[in-house]
Amino acid sequence: MATATITTARGTGSVRLAHGEDWLTVCERGLLIPGRGVAVLLPDGDQAAVFMDRAGQVYAIGNRDPFTGAYVLSRGLLGSAGGRPFVASPLLKQRFDLATGACLDDDEVSVPVFAVRAD
């Protein structure tokens, strides 16, 4: 019988997002898997997509794809273009810069970005 090993973030600690004037703890850092996103339901009913890249940097953007209205960005694929980390929407494949929220394929579109503290 074979077993699978999943590599998670090094160290322990929590991931917190700036929400209003507070910092909201959304998960333990060790639960994030590099290259995969997780959706987070915020107290006001909005959603964030949290990602950790392979270097261990954590990002959070709005989870709503502005082109379709679907809450799916947390399911997108991570990549980089010109040294800028992005997530590509799983639906229409538009790319969103994880640091700024800007759409790399349409200068007039962006998603919200949340400040992140990852211990």
Side-chain angles (χ1 to χ4, degrees):
M1 178 176 181
T3 59
T5 302
I6 297 175
T7 303
T8 59
R10 294 182 187 153
T12 59
S14 58
V15 175
R16 293 172 290 172
L17 304 183
H19 190 260
E21 295 183 20
D22 297 322
W23 287 91
L24 177 67
T25 300
V26 296
C27 70
E28 293 299 316
R29 183 180 175 99
L31 296 176
L32 295 177
I33 298 172
R36 293 194 143 177
V38 296
V40 175
L41 182 61
L42 302 173
D44 62 3
D46 202 5
Q47 293 184 23
V50 180
F51 302 93
M52 182 172 60
D53 66 16
R54 298 201 190 290
Q57 179 68 38
V58 179
Y59 302 92
I61 62 173
N63 194 32
R64 184 178 175 274
D65 180 336
F67 291 94
T68 65
Y71 290 86
V72 295
L73 292 181
S74 62
R75 296 181 177 190
L77 297 175
L78 294 187
S80 65
R84 298 167 65 181
F86 69 80
V87 62
S89 172
L91 297 178
L92 301 177
K93 309 304 184 232
Q94 284 87 359
R95 300 168 300 153
F96 297 92
D97 187 308
L98 291 176
T100 67
C103 179
L104 302 179
D105 303 302
D106 185 335
D107 293 339
E108 296 183 16
V109 178
S110 64
V111 294
V113 175
F114 297 89
V116 176
R117 289 184 181 167
D119 303 318

PDB file of all heavy atoms in Angstrom, residues 38-79:
ATOM      1  N   VAL A  38      -6.710  28.641  -1.209  1.00  0.00           N
ATOM      2  CA  VAL A  38      -7.844  28.299  -0.356  1.00  0.00           C
ATOM      3  C   VAL A  38      -8.784  29.498  -0.314  1.00  0.00           C
ATOM      4  O   VAL A  38      -8.348  30.644  -0.350  1.00  0.00           O
ATOM      5  CB  VAL A  38      -7.429  27.898   1.081  1.00  0.00           C
ATOM      6  CG1 VAL A  38      -6.607  26.637   1.087  1.00  0.00           C
ATOM      7  CG2 VAL A  38      -6.679  29.016   1.768  1.00  0.00           C
ATOM      8  N   ALA A  39     -10.071  29.221  -0.272  1.00  0.00           N
ATOM      9  CA  ALA A  39     -11.073  30.278  -0.157  1.00  0.00           C
ATOM     10  C   ALA A  39     -11.361  30.522   1.315  1.00  0.00           C
ATOM     11  O   ALA A  39     -11.431  29.592   2.108  1.00  0.00           O
ATOM     12  CB  ALA A  39     -12.345  29.876  -0.892  1.00  0.00           C
ATOM     13  N   VAL A  40     -11.545  31.783   1.658  1.00  0.00           N
ATOM     14  CA  VAL A  40     -11.822  32.183   3.031  1.00  0.00           C
ATOM     15  C   VAL A  40     -13.082  33.038   3.030  1.00  0.00           C
ATOM     16  O   VAL A  40     -13.176  34.008   2.277  1.00  0.00           O
ATOM     17  CB  VAL A  40     -10.642  33.001   3.607  1.00  0.00           C
ATOM     18  CG1 VAL A  40     -10.969  33.522   4.987  1.00  0.00           C
ATOM     19  CG2 VAL A  40      -9.372  32.176   3.616  1.00  0.00           C
ATOM     20  N   LEU A  41     -14.051  32.656   3.852  1.00  0.00           N
ATOM     21  CA  LEU A  41     -15.260  33.447   4.025  1.00  0.00           C
ATOM     22  C   LEU A  41     -15.000  34.490   5.106  1.00  0.00           C
ATOM     23  O   LEU A  41     -14.636  34.151   6.231  1.00  0.00           O
ATOM     24  CB  LEU A  41     -16.442  32.554   4.409  1.00  0.00           C
ATOM     25  CG  LEU A  41     -17.787  33.250   4.566  1.00  0.00           C
ATOM     26  CD1 LEU A  41     -18.210  33.916   3.255  1.00  0.00           C
ATOM     27  CD2 LEU A  41     -18.838  32.253   5.031  1.00  0.00           C
ATOM     28  N   LEU A  42     -15.195  35.751   4.761  1.00  0.00           N
ATOM     29  CA  LEU A  42     -14.940  36.844   5.685  1.00  0.00           C
ATOM     30  C   LEU A  42     -16.213  37.191   6.455  1.00  0.00           C
ATOM     31  O   LEU A  42     -17.318  36.865   6.017  1.00  0.00           O
ATOM     32  CB  LEU A  42     -14.429  38.057   4.904  1.00  0.00           C
ATOM     33  CG  LEU A  42     -13.147  37.783   4.103  1.00  0.00           C
ATOM     34  CD1 LEU A  42     -12.815  38.974   3.222  1.00  0.00           C
ATOM     35  CD2 LEU A  42     -11.996  37.448   5.037  1.00  0.00           C
ATOM     36  N   PRO A  43     -16.084  37.844   7.618  1.00  0.00           N
ATOM     37  CA  PRO A  43     -17.258  38.133   8.448  1.00  0.00           C
ATOM     38  C   PRO A  43     -18.353  38.940   7.750  1.00  0.00           C
ATOM     39  O   PRO A  43     -19.521  38.799   8.082  1.00  0.00           O
ATOM     40  CB  PRO A  43     -16.673  38.934   9.624  1.00  0.00           C
ATOM     41  CG  PRO A  43     -15.251  38.536   9.694  1.00  0.00           C
ATOM     42  CD  PRO A  43     -14.840  38.249   8.281  1.00  0.00           C
ATOM     43  N   ASP A  44     -17.989  39.753   6.766  1.00  0.00           N
ATOM     44  CA  ASP A  44     -18.996  40.553   6.065  1.00  0.00           C
ATOM     45  C   ASP A  44     -19.636  39.804   4.896  1.00  0.00           C
ATOM     46  O   ASP A  44     -20.419  40.365   4.142  1.00  0.00           O
ATOM     47  CB  ASP A  44     -18.402  41.873   5.584  1.00  0.00           C
ATOM     48  CG  ASP A  44     -17.266  41.695   4.587  1.00  0.00           C
ATOM     49  OD1 ASP A  44     -16.949  40.545   4.198  1.00  0.00           O
ATOM     50  OD2 ASP A  44     -16.679  42.720   4.184  1.00  0.00           O
ATOM     51  N   GLY A  45     -19.303  38.521   4.728  1.00  0.00           N
ATOM     52  CA  GLY A  45     -19.871  37.707   3.660  1.00  0.00           C
ATOM     53  C   GLY A  45     -19.051  37.699   2.391  1.00  0.00           C
ATOM     54  O   GLY A  45     -19.330  36.930   1.474  1.00  0.00           O
ATOM     55  N   ASP A  46     -18.041  38.541   2.297  1.00  0.00           N
ATOM     56  CA  ASP A  46     -17.163  38.553   1.135  1.00  0.00           C
ATOM     57  C   ASP A  46     -16.206  37.360   1.227  1.00  0.00           C
ATOM     58  O   ASP A  46     -16.171  36.654   2.247  1.00  0.00           O
ATOM     59  CB  ASP A  46     -16.379  39.862   1.080  1.00  0.00           C
ATOM     60  CG  ASP A  46     -15.867  40.187  -0.310  1.00  0.00           C
ATOM     61  OD1 ASP A  46     -16.193  39.445  -1.264  1.00  0.00           O
ATOM     62  OD2 ASP A  46     -15.142  41.188  -0.452  1.00  0.00           O
ATOM     63  N   GLN A  47     -15.447  37.115   0.170  1.00  0.00           N
ATOM     64  CA  GLN A  47     -14.501  36.000   0.162  1.00  0.00           C
ATOM     65  C   GLN A  47     -13.121  36.481  -0.262  1.00  0.00           C
ATOM     66  O   GLN A  47     -12.990  37.394  -1.073  1.00  0.00           O
ATOM     67  CB  GLN A  47     -14.943  34.913  -0.812  1.00  0.00           C
ATOM     68  CG  GLN A  47     -16.196  34.196  -0.423  1.00  0.00           C
ATOM     69  CD  GLN A  47     -16.523  33.078  -1.390  1.00  0.00           C
ATOM     70  OE1 GLN A  47     -15.667  32.555  -2.091  1.00  0.00           O
ATOM     71  NE2 GLN A  47     -17.794  32.703  -1.437  1.00  0.00           N
ATOM     72  N   ALA A  48     -12.101  35.827   0.279  1.00  0.00           N
ATOM     73  CA  ALA A  48     -10.721  36.064  -0.129  1.00  0.00           C
ATOM     74  C   ALA A  48     -10.147  34.741  -0.621  1.00  0.00           C
ATOM     75  O   ALA A  48     -10.587  33.665  -0.211  1.00  0.00           O
ATOM     76  CB  ALA A  48      -9.900  36.593   1.041  1.00  0.00           C
ATOM     77  N   ALA A  49      -9.173  34.837  -1.511  1.00  0.00           N
ATOM     78  CA  ALA A  49      -8.420  33.679  -1.976  1.00  0.00           C
ATOM     79  C   ALA A  49      -7.004  33.833  -1.435  1.00  0.00           C
ATOM     80  O   ALA A  49      -6.355  34.856  -1.669  1.00  0.00           O
ATOM     81  CB  ALA A  49      -8.406  33.625  -3.504  1.00  0.00           C
ATOM     82  N   VAL A  50      -6.538  32.850  -0.673  1.00  0.00           N
ATOM     83  CA  VAL A  50      -5.223  32.908  -0.038  1.00  0.00           C
ATOM     84  C   VAL A  50      -4.310  31.908  -0.729  1.00  0.00           C
ATOM     85  O   VAL A  50      -4.690  30.743  -0.940  1.00  0.00           O
ATOM     86  CB  VAL A  50      -5.324  32.602   1.476  1.00  0.00           C
ATOM     87  CG1 VAL A  50      -3.957  32.655   2.134  1.00  0.00           C
ATOM     88  CG2 VAL A  50      -6.290  33.572   2.149  1.00  0.00           C
ATOM     89  N   PHE A  51      -3.107  32.354  -1.066  1.00  0.00           N
ATOM     90  CA  PHE A  51      -2.138  31.524  -1.773  1.00  0.00           C
ATOM     91  C   PHE A  51      -0.782  31.605  -1.104  1.00  0.00           C
ATOM     92  O   PHE A  51      -0.425  32.631  -0.521  1.00  0.00           O
ATOM     93  CB  PHE A  51      -1.943  32.019  -3.221  1.00  0.00           C
ATOM     94  CG  PHE A  51      -3.183  32.044  -4.036  1.00  0.00           C
ATOM     95  CD1 PHE A  51      -3.953  33.190  -4.114  1.00  0.00           C
ATOM     96  CD2 PHE A  51      -3.584  30.930  -4.745  1.00  0.00           C
ATOM     97  CE1 PHE A  51      -5.106  33.227  -4.877  1.00  0.00           C
ATOM     98  CE2 PHE A  51      -4.734  30.949  -5.514  1.00  0.00           C
ATOM     99  CZ  PHE A  51      -5.488  32.101  -5.580  1.00  0.00           C
ATOM    100  N   MET A  52      -0.017  30.538  -1.217  1.00  0.00           N
ATOM    101  CA  MET A  52       1.381  30.559  -0.824  1.00  0.00           C
ATOM    102  C   MET A  52       2.181  30.059  -2.020  1.00  0.00           C
ATOM    103  O   MET A  52       1.868  28.997  -2.574  1.00  0.00           O
ATOM    104  CB  MET A  52       1.654  29.685   0.394  1.00  0.00           C
ATOM    105  CG  MET A  52       3.114  29.766   0.826  1.00  0.00           C
ATOM    106  SD  MET A  52       3.476  28.952   2.390  1.00  0.00           S
ATOM    107  CE  MET A  52       3.012  27.287   2.024  1.00  0.00           C
ATOM    108  N   ASP A  53       3.181  30.845  -2.412  1.00  0.00           N
ATOM    109  CA  ASP A  53       4.009  30.397  -3.528  1.00  0.00           C
ATOM    110  C   ASP A  53       5.077  29.430  -3.031  1.00  0.00           C
ATOM    111  O   ASP A  53       5.190  29.169  -1.833  1.00  0.00           O
ATOM    112  CB  ASP A  53       4.597  31.582  -4.297  1.00  0.00           C
ATOM    113  CG  ASP A  53       5.592  32.418  -3.493  1.00  0.00           C
ATOM    114  OD1 ASP A  53       6.078  31.959  -2.437  1.00  0.00           O
ATOM    115  OD2 ASP A  53       5.878  33.549  -3.934  1.00  0.00           O
ATOM    116  N   ARG A  54       5.844  28.886  -3.937  1.00  0.00           N
ATOM    117  CA  ARG A  54       6.846  27.873  -3.577  1.00  0.00           C
ATOM    118  C   ARG A  54       7.987  28.436  -2.732  1.00  0.00           C
ATOM    119  O   ARG A  54       8.693  27.704  -2.067  1.00  0.00           O
ATOM    120  CB  ARG A  54       7.362  27.198  -4.831  1.00  0.00           C
ATOM    121  CG  ARG A  54       6.232  26.489  -5.551  1.00  0.00           C
ATOM    122  CD  ARG A  54       6.692  25.417  -6.495  1.00  0.00           C
ATOM    123  NE  ARG A  54       5.629  24.914  -7.352  1.00  0.00           N
ATOM    124  CZ  ARG A  54       4.602  24.182  -6.956  1.00  0.00           C
ATOM    125  NH1 ARG A  54       4.475  23.882  -5.694  1.00  0.00           N
ATOM    126  NH2 ARG A  54       3.689  23.753  -7.806  1.00  0.00           N
ATOM    127  N   ALA A  55       8.138  29.760  -2.728  1.00  0.00           N
ATOM    128  CA  ALA A  55       9.149  30.400  -1.888  1.00  0.00           C
ATOM    129  C   ALA A  55       8.637  30.671  -0.482  1.00  0.00           C
ATOM    130  O   ALA A  55       9.380  31.132   0.374  1.00  0.00           O
ATOM    131  CB  ALA A  55       9.604  31.708  -2.536  1.00  0.00           C
ATOM    132  N   GLY A  56       7.348  30.401  -0.228  1.00  0.00           N
ATOM    133  CA  GLY A  56       6.774  30.592   1.097  1.00  0.00           C
ATOM    134  C   GLY A  56       6.088  31.927   1.303  1.00  0.00           C
ATOM    135  O   GLY A  56       5.585  32.197   2.393  1.00  0.00           O
ATOM    136  N   GLN A  57       6.038  32.772   0.273  1.00  0.00           N
ATOM    137  CA  GLN A  57       5.358  34.063   0.372  1.00  0.00           C
ATOM    138  C   GLN A  57       3.848  33.842   0.307  1.00  0.00           C
ATOM    139  O   GLN A  57       3.363  33.098  -0.531  1.00  0.00           O
ATOM    140  CB  GLN A  57       5.791  34.977  -0.783  1.00  0.00           C
ATOM    141  CG  GLN A  57       5.127  36.324  -0.796  1.00  0.00           C
ATOM    142  CD  GLN A  57       5.563  37.200   0.362  1.00  0.00           C
ATOM    143  OE1 GLN A  57       6.717  37.191   0.762  1.00  0.00           O
ATOM    144  NE2 GLN A  57       4.626  37.945   0.912  1.00  0.00           N
ATOM    145  N   VAL A  58       3.107  34.495   1.215  1.00  0.00           N
ATOM    146  CA  VAL A  58       1.654  34.341   1.268  1.00  0.00           C
ATOM    147  C   VAL A  58       0.991  35.598   0.702  1.00  0.00           C
ATOM    148  O   VAL A  58       1.409  36.727   0.995  1.00  0.00           O
ATOM    149  CB  VAL A  58       1.177  34.088   2.715  1.00  0.00           C
ATOM    150  CG1 VAL A  58      -0.336  33.942   2.775  1.00  0.00           C
ATOM    151  CG2 VAL A  58       1.852  32.839   3.277  1.00  0.00           C
ATOM    152  N   TYR A  59      -0.041  35.393  -0.112  1.00  0.00           N
ATOM    153  CA  TYR A  59      -0.798  36.466  -0.753  1.00  0.00           C
ATOM    154  C   TYR A  59      -2.288  36.245  -0.512  1.00  0.00           C
ATOM    155  O   TYR A  59      -2.725  35.101  -0.368  1.00  0.00           O
ATOM    156  CB  TYR A  59      -0.578  36.464  -2.272  1.00  0.00           C
ATOM    157  CG  TYR A  59       0.856  36.605  -2.697  1.00  0.00           C
ATOM    158  CD1 TYR A  59       1.650  35.484  -2.911  1.00  0.00           C
ATOM    159  CD2 TYR A  59       1.414  37.855  -2.911  1.00  0.00           C
ATOM    160  CE1 TYR A  59       2.960  35.607  -3.315  1.00  0.00           C
ATOM    161  CE2 TYR A  59       2.733  37.992  -3.317  1.00  0.00           C
ATOM    162  CZ  TYR A  59       3.505  36.869  -3.521  1.00  0.00           C
ATOM    163  OH  TYR A  59       4.808  36.995  -3.926  1.00  0.00           O
ATOM    164  N   ALA A  60      -3.058  37.335  -0.555  1.00  0.00           N
ATOM    165  CA  ALA A  60      -4.518  37.213  -0.464  1.00  0.00           C
ATOM    166  C   ALA A  60      -5.160  38.252  -1.370  1.00  0.00           C
ATOM    167  O   ALA A  60      -4.813  39.438  -1.324  1.00  0.00           O
ATOM    168  CB  ALA A  60      -4.991  37.399   0.969  1.00  0.00           C
ATOM    169  N   ILE A  61      -6.072  37.791  -2.217  1.00  0.00           N
ATOM    170  CA  ILE A  61      -6.820  38.662  -3.116  1.00  0.00           C
ATOM    171  C   ILE A  61      -8.295  38.311  -2.993  1.00  0.00           C
ATOM    172  O   ILE A  61      -8.647  37.297  -2.395  1.00  0.00           O
ATOM    173  CB  ILE A  61      -6.358  38.516  -4.587  1.00  0.00           C
ATOM    174  CG1 ILE A  61      -6.596  37.083  -5.094  1.00  0.00           C
ATOM    175  CG2 ILE A  61      -4.902  38.934  -4.744  1.00  0.00           C
ATOM    176  CD1 ILE A  61      -6.325  36.904  -6.586  1.00  0.00           C
ATOM    177  N   GLY A  62      -9.154  39.123  -3.583  1.00  0.00           N
ATOM    178  CA  GLY A  62     -10.567  38.784  -3.622  1.00  0.00           C
ATOM    179  C   GLY A  62     -10.770  37.495  -4.408  1.00  0.00           C
ATOM    180  O   GLY A  62     -10.075  37.237  -5.393  1.00  0.00           O
ATOM    181  N   ASN A  63     -11.712  36.677  -3.992  1.00  0.00           N
ATOM    182  CA  ASN A  63     -11.947  35.377  -4.631  1.00  0.00           C
ATOM    183  C   ASN A  63     -12.884  35.469  -5.836  1.00  0.00           C
ATOM    184  O   ASN A  63     -12.999  34.536  -6.612  1.00  0.00           O
ATOM    185  CB  ASN A  63     -12.516  34.388  -3.607  1.00  0.00           C
ATOM    186  CG  ASN A  63     -12.459  32.961  -4.083  1.00  0.00           C
ATOM    187  OD1 ASN A  63     -11.559  32.561  -4.819  1.00  0.00           O
ATOM    188  ND2 ASN A  63     -13.428  32.168  -3.665  1.00  0.00           N
ATOM    189  N   ARG A  64     -13.540  36.605  -6.036  1.00  0.00           N
ATOM    190  CA  ARG A  64     -14.519  36.759  -7.122  1.00  0.00           C
ATOM    191  C   ARG A  64     -13.831  37.113  -8.435  1.00  0.00           C
ATOM    192  O   ARG A  64     -13.109  38.091  -8.526  1.00  0.00           O
ATOM    193  CB  ARG A  64     -15.526  37.837  -6.764  1.00  0.00           C
ATOM    194  CG  ARG A  64     -16.626  38.008  -7.772  1.00  0.00           C
ATOM    195  CD  ARG A  64     -17.609  39.075  -7.307  1.00  0.00           C
ATOM    196  NE  ARG A  64     -18.607  39.333  -8.300  1.00  0.00           N
ATOM    197  CZ  ARG A  64     -18.466  40.197  -9.310  1.00  0.00           C
ATOM    198  NH1 ARG A  64     -17.346  40.890  -9.435  1.00  0.00           N
ATOM    199  NH2 ARG A  64     -19.432  40.365 -10.176  1.00  0.00           N
ATOM    200  N   ASP A  65     -14.064  36.297  -9.453  1.00  0.00           N
ATOM    201  CA  ASP A  65     -13.558  36.568 -10.798  1.00  0.00           C
ATOM    202  C   ASP A  65     -14.410  37.700 -11.383  1.00  0.00           C
ATOM    203  O   ASP A  65     -15.610  37.521 -11.588  1.00  0.00           O
ATOM    204  CB  ASP A  65     -13.687  35.309 -11.653  1.00  0.00           C
ATOM    205  CG  ASP A  65     -13.182  35.479 -13.066  1.00  0.00           C
ATOM    206  OD1 ASP A  65     -13.133  36.617 -13.565  1.00  0.00           O
ATOM    207  OD2 ASP A  65     -12.848  34.461 -13.691  1.00  0.00           O
ATOM    208  N   PRO A  66     -13.823  38.874 -11.655  1.00  0.00           N
ATOM    209  CA  PRO A  66     -14.630  39.992 -12.134  1.00  0.00           C
ATOM    210  C   PRO A  66     -15.190  39.800 -13.549  1.00  0.00           C
ATOM    211  O   PRO A  66     -16.123  40.493 -13.942  1.00  0.00           O
ATOM    212  CB  PRO A  66     -13.656  41.180 -12.089  1.00  0.00           C
ATOM    213  CG  PRO A  66     -12.309  40.580 -12.107  1.00  0.00           C
ATOM    214  CD  PRO A  66     -12.431  39.239 -11.457  1.00  0.00           C
ATOM    215  N   PHE A  67     -14.664  38.862 -14.295  1.00  0.00           N
ATOM    216  CA  PHE A  67     -15.155  38.622 -15.658  1.00  0.00           C
ATOM    217  C   PHE A  67     -16.406  37.748 -15.682  1.00  0.00           C
ATOM    218  O   PHE A  67     -17.227  37.855 -16.584  1.00  0.00           O
ATOM    219  CB  PHE A  67     -14.060  38.005 -16.526  1.00  0.00           C
ATOM    220  CG  PHE A  67     -12.938  38.961 -16.814  1.00  0.00           C
ATOM    221  CD1 PHE A  67     -11.810  38.978 -16.017  1.00  0.00           C
ATOM    222  CD2 PHE A  67     -13.023  39.854 -17.867  1.00  0.00           C
ATOM    223  CE1 PHE A  67     -10.781  39.869 -16.272  1.00  0.00           C
ATOM    224  CE2 PHE A  67     -12.001  40.754 -18.130  1.00  0.00           C
ATOM    225  CZ  PHE A  67     -10.875  40.757 -17.320  1.00  0.00           C
ATOM    226  N   THR A  68     -16.546  36.858 -14.697  1.00  0.00           N
ATOM    227  CA  THR A  68     -17.691  35.948 -14.682  1.00  0.00           C
ATOM    228  C   THR A  68     -18.599  36.141 -13.477  1.00  0.00           C
ATOM    229  O   THR A  68     -19.737  35.688 -13.480  1.00  0.00           O
ATOM    230  CB  THR A  68     -17.226  34.478 -14.676  1.00  0.00           C
ATOM    231  OG1 THR A  68     -16.522  34.234 -13.451  1.00  0.00           O
ATOM    232  CG2 THR A  68     -16.341  34.178 -15.877  1.00  0.00           C
ATOM    233  N   GLY A  69     -18.076  36.759 -12.415  1.00  0.00           N
ATOM    234  CA  GLY A  69     -18.842  36.916 -11.187  1.00  0.00           C
ATOM    235  C   GLY A  69     -18.783  35.702 -10.272  1.00  0.00           C
ATOM    236  O   GLY A  69     -19.336  35.714  -9.188  1.00  0.00           O
ATOM    237  N   ALA A  70     -18.104  34.656 -10.708  1.00  0.00           N
ATOM    238  CA  ALA A  70     -18.002  33.427  -9.908  1.00  0.00           C
ATOM    239  C   ALA A  70     -16.871  33.550  -8.884  1.00  0.00           C
ATOM    240  O   ALA A  70     -15.830  34.151  -9.153  1.00  0.00           O
ATOM    241  CB  ALA A  70     -17.754  32.228 -10.814  1.00  0.00           C
ATOM    242  N   TYR A  71     -17.068  32.955  -7.726  1.00  0.00           N
ATOM    243  CA  TYR A  71     -16.068  32.966  -6.656  1.00  0.00           C
ATOM    244  C   TYR A  71     -15.147  31.759  -6.835  1.00  0.00           C
ATOM    245  O   TYR A  71     -15.307  30.737  -6.168  1.00  0.00           O
ATOM    246  CB  TYR A  71     -16.762  32.961  -5.297  1.00  0.00           C
ATOM    247  CG  TYR A  71     -17.456  34.267  -5.015  1.00  0.00           C
ATOM    248  CD1 TYR A  71     -18.752  34.495  -5.460  1.00  0.00           C
ATOM    249  CD2 TYR A  71     -16.804  35.285  -4.330  1.00  0.00           C
ATOM    250  CE1 TYR A  71     -19.385  35.710  -5.224  1.00  0.00           C
ATOM    251  CE2 TYR A  71     -17.426  36.500  -4.085  1.00  0.00           C
ATOM    252  CZ  TYR A  71     -18.716  36.702  -4.536  1.00  0.00           C
ATOM    253  OH  TYR A  71     -19.331  37.902  -4.304  1.00  0.00           O
ATOM    254  N   VAL A  72     -14.162  31.890  -7.738  1.00  0.00           N
ATOM    255  CA  VAL A  72     -13.348  30.741  -8.132  1.00  0.00           C
ATOM    256  C   VAL A  72     -11.849  31.005  -8.182  1.00  0.00           C
ATOM    257  O   VAL A  72     -11.090  30.085  -8.476  1.00  0.00           O
ATOM    258  CB  VAL A  72     -13.783  30.213  -9.521  1.00  0.00           C
ATOM    259  CG1 VAL A  72     -15.192  29.668  -9.487  1.00  0.00           C
ATOM    260  CG2 VAL A  72     -13.628  31.298 -10.586  1.00  0.00           C
ATOM    261  N   LEU A  73     -11.385  32.211  -7.902  1.00  0.00           N
ATOM    262  CA  LEU A  73      -9.961  32.483  -8.073  1.00  0.00           C
ATOM    263  C   LEU A  73      -9.083  31.614  -7.178  1.00  0.00           C
ATOM    264  O   LEU A  73      -7.947  31.305  -7.538  1.00  0.00           O
ATOM    265  CB  LEU A  73      -9.661  33.972  -7.861  1.00  0.00           C
ATOM    266  CG  LEU A  73     -10.244  34.894  -8.936  1.00  0.00           C
ATOM    267  CD1 LEU A  73      -9.857  36.344  -8.648  1.00  0.00           C
ATOM    268  CD2 LEU A  73      -9.803  34.479 -10.323  1.00  0.00           C
ATOM    269  N   SER A  74      -9.613  31.173  -6.041  1.00  0.00           N
ATOM    270  CA  SER A  74      -8.827  30.299  -5.163  1.00  0.00           C
ATOM    271  C   SER A  74      -8.500  28.963  -5.831  1.00  0.00           C
ATOM    272  O   SER A  74      -7.594  28.264  -5.408  1.00  0.00           O
ATOM    273  CB  SER A  74      -9.559  30.044  -3.849  1.00  0.00           C
ATOM    274  OG  SER A  74     -10.786  29.374  -4.088  1.00  0.00           O
ATOM    275  N   ARG A  75      -9.223  28.616  -6.894  1.00  0.00           N
ATOM    276  CA  ARG A  75      -8.989  27.374  -7.622  1.00  0.00           C
ATOM    277  C   ARG A  75      -8.083  27.548  -8.835  1.00  0.00           C
ATOM    278  O   ARG A  75      -7.857  26.620  -9.594  1.00  0.00           O
ATOM    279  CB  ARG A  75     -10.313  26.787  -8.091  1.00  0.00           C
ATOM    280  CG  ARG A  75     -11.208  26.383  -6.955  1.00  0.00           C
ATOM    281  CD  ARG A  75     -12.475  25.804  -7.478  1.00  0.00           C
ATOM    282  NE  ARG A  75     -13.330  25.347  -6.396  1.00  0.00           N
ATOM    283  CZ  ARG A  75     -14.400  24.630  -6.577  1.00  0.00           C
ATOM    284  NH1 ARG A  75     -14.762  24.279  -7.796  1.00  0.00           N
ATOM    285  NH2 ARG A  75     -15.127  24.263  -5.556  1.00  0.00           N
ATOM    286  N   GLY A  76      -7.579  28.765  -9.019  1.00  0.00           N
ATOM    287  CA  GLY A  76      -6.753  29.057 -10.178  1.00  0.00           C
ATOM    288  C   GLY A  76      -5.344  28.506 -10.067  1.00  0.00           C
ATOM    289  O   GLY A  76      -4.915  28.026  -9.016  1.00  0.00           O
ATOM    290  N   LEU A  77      -4.613  28.597 -11.174  1.00  0.00           N
ATOM    291  CA  LEU A  77      -3.234  28.126 -11.242  1.00  0.00           C
ATOM    292  C   LEU A  77      -2.276  29.277 -11.001  1.00  0.00           C
ATOM    293  O   LEU A  77      -2.448  30.358 -11.557  1.00  0.00           O
ATOM    294  CB  LEU A  77      -2.953  27.513 -12.612  1.00  0.00           C
ATOM    295  CG  LEU A  77      -3.764  26.282 -12.969  1.00  0.00           C
ATOM    296  CD1 LEU A  77      -3.471  25.865 -14.401  1.00  0.00           C
ATOM    297  CD2 LEU A  77      -3.472  25.154 -12.003  1.00  0.00           C
ATOM    298  N   LEU A  78      -1.245  29.040 -10.181  1.00  0.00           N
ATOM    299  CA  LEU A  78      -0.235  30.059  -9.924  1.00  0.00           C
ATOM    300  C   LEU A  78       0.846  30.016 -10.987  1.00  0.00           C
ATOM    301  O   LEU A  78       1.174  28.960 -11.508  1.00  0.00           O
ATOM    302  CB  LEU A  78       0.397  29.856  -8.552  1.00  0.00           C
ATOM    303  CG  LEU A  78      -0.481  30.037  -7.332  1.00  0.00           C
ATOM    304  CD1 LEU A  78       0.354  29.953  -6.069  1.00  0.00           C
ATOM    305  CD2 LEU A  78      -1.235  31.339  -7.375  1.00  0.00           C
ATOM    306  N   GLY A  79       1.390  31.175 -11.269  1.00  0.00           N
ATOM    307  CA  GLY A  79       2.488  31.291 -12.214  1.00  0.00           C
ATOM    308  C   GLY A  79       3.180  32.616 -11.992  1.00  0.00           C
ATOM    309  O   GLY A  79       2.918  33.323 -11.019  1.00  0.00           O
TER     310      GLY A  79
END
